[in-house]
Amino acid sequence: MAELISNATRVEVLLLDFSMGEEKRSKPALQVFEIKPYSKDTPILDSHFCTTKEREELIPVLSQAIGGQPHIGGTGCHFPIHGIRVWVGSEIAFETSICWYCHNFMMDYGRGAGWENHTDGFRDLKPILMRLMPIPEDEIARFKKGHDAGPDGH
């Protein structure tokens, strides 16, 4: 997968509703993002298509993060706050949702989707995603109401 996305022609970074639509929102969703292991959709709150320069910065770091070791399955909550879609040509080649709280991400190897734990590469990925798609203060406050940290893991 890491090798496939190195051929990315377009990348979209998403801000996802970490509650997967279970909490009422005053602002309507742009679209929905499928959280495949749960067979659920979560609202997309914001979207950013990367410039060529941003894509060239993001893809090697994303490849290292998802291609890193160990991949031993991810456990925990999965409150998705960031999503990524990668196109190669006109096809979506890869997409994932990321939880900074329990440190897992969605991965589909073609046999069904599941959870993976963050690898060391996610330390480098996180600041890029936070710059490209910052988590609004109101989302952090909404998360903190029911959890002991913000949706960015702090």
Side-chain angles (χ1 to χ4, degrees), residues 1-135:
M1 189 62 67
E3 185 178 324
L4 174 64
I5 67 171
S6 68
N7 297 311
T9 54
R10 186 167 61 149
V11 177
E12 182 181 22
V13 177
L14 307 162
L15 181 69
L16 303 175
D17 179 354
F18 64 83
S19 74
M20 290 187 265
E22 293 183 11
E23 294 179 19
K24 294 259 184 203
R25 303 192 58 79
S26 58
K27 187 177 173 184
L30 301 173
Q31 296 178 2
V32 294
F33 185 89
E34 186 180 7
I35 307 296
K36 294 176 184 177
Y38 290 156
S39 299
K40 293 180 91 174
D41 293 329
T42 191
I44 296 172
L45 306 178
D46 202 358
S47 171
H48 170 74
F49 282 96
C50 293
T51 65
T52 300
K53 183 178 177 182
E54 291 168 341
R55 185 181 75 233
E56 289 171 352
E57 175 190 20
L58 177 62
I59 288 298
V61 176
L62 177 62
S63 294
Q64 180 182 12
I66 66 170
Q69 297 296 323
H71 274 247
I72 56 173
T75 59
C77 56
H78 201 70
F79 294 112
I81 191 69
H82 280 119
I84 302 173
R85 287 184 178 143
V86 177
W87 280 263
V88 175
S90 62
E91 300 290 322
I92 295 177
F94 174 77
E95 62 182 356
T96 191
S97 56
I98 300 168
C99 177
W100 299 113
Y101 185 71
C102 66
H103 304 285
N104 71 8
F105 66 104
M106 179 178 68
M107 190 72 171
D108 187 348
Y109 296 98
R111 304 177 307 273
W115 306 117
E116 295 288 353
N117 289 320
H118 288 184
T119 63
D120 287 347
F122 276 81
R123 282 192 302 257
D124 296 328
L125 181 62
K126 185 176 181 179
I128 296 170
L129 293 179
M130 295 298 259
R131 182 171 29 88
L132 295 174
M133 183 57 65
I135 301 170

